[in-house]
Amino acid sequence: MTTTTGWNELGPVELVVLTFPGTSIDRATVEEIRDLVAHGQVTLLDLVYLAKDENGNVTQVDVDEDLAGVGLAELALDAKALVSDDDLEVVRESLEPGTSAALIVYEETWARRLALRVRQQGGEVALHIQVPRDVLQEAVEAAL
């Protein structure tokens, strides 16, 4: 069952860039993303595939194009075109030859109800920080 959520009802929204060797996205990764969506933990809002060949030529496939050739057909969605040209340019420039990337904008669906409740009470989610894994690992190791 698909529900339409208004922009004022969204939970936290994030952009993640997943990079891979070669020109297709790992099947197990696609299945994991699909499972996260199926279990209601995230809602995909936008998706862009980029690949850079050995000569530095970049291929881009947007979510409204045929994603089957790059291994992302299972993640087709009603995209919102949220990935900016600036975001795409940063990824294009940082991709190594012979690699590919999936840029995914997603809502943390699990947090939607909490964020909505806070707003209904006149509050706001004033800060949302995602701590990178390596930073967390360093902090834990320093505390031991």
Side-chain angles (χ1 to χ4, degrees):
M1 180 167 106
T2 303
T3 59
T4 303
T5 302
W7 288 108
N8 62 339
E9 297 175 9
L10 285 175
V13 174
E14 297 193 18
L15 166 70
V16 65
V17 178
L18 308 173
T19 61
F20 299 90
T23 58
S24 66
I25 306 303
D26 172 65
R27 175 124 177 93
T29 300
V30 173
E31 289 175 10
E32 186 65 33
I33 295 168
R34 190 193 61 208
D35 287 348
L36 289 169
V37 172
H39 289 98
Q41 294 175 308
V42 300
T43 300
L44 297 182
L45 302 174
D46 200 3
L47 172 67
V48 178
Y49 166 87
L50 293 172
K52 186 179 282 187
D53 68 19
E54 297 299 336
N55 296 323
N57 300 312
V58 176
T59 300
Q60 178 175 325
V61 181
D62 293 314
V63 71
D64 58 351
E65 299 176 83
D66 182 16
L67 296 170
V70 296
L72 295 171
E74 294 180 45
L75 300 179
L77 60 134
D78 181 22
K80 310 288 190 259
L82 299 174
V83 177
S84 73
D85 290 336
D86 290 341
D87 294 332
L88 290 168
E89 189 58 31
V90 167
V91 177
R92 280 186 205 107
E93 289 178 9
S94 66
L95 271 180
E96 294 293 325
T99 63
S100 57
L103 288 80
I104 302 171
V105 178
Y106 65 95
E107 174 199 10
E108 292 184 27
T109 312
W110 62 267
R112 181 185 301 157
R113 285 182 37 197
L114 173 61
L116 180 59
R117 175 65 61 181
V118 168
R119 287 189 296 273
Q120 288 172 339
Q121 300 306 313
E124 64 179 277
V125 178
L127 184 61
H128 174 91
I129 298 173
Q130 187 176 59
V131 179
R133 187 183 102 36
D134 58 334
V135 171
L136 180 60
Q137 184 176 354
E138 288 175 20
V140 168
E141 289 173 357
L144 296 178

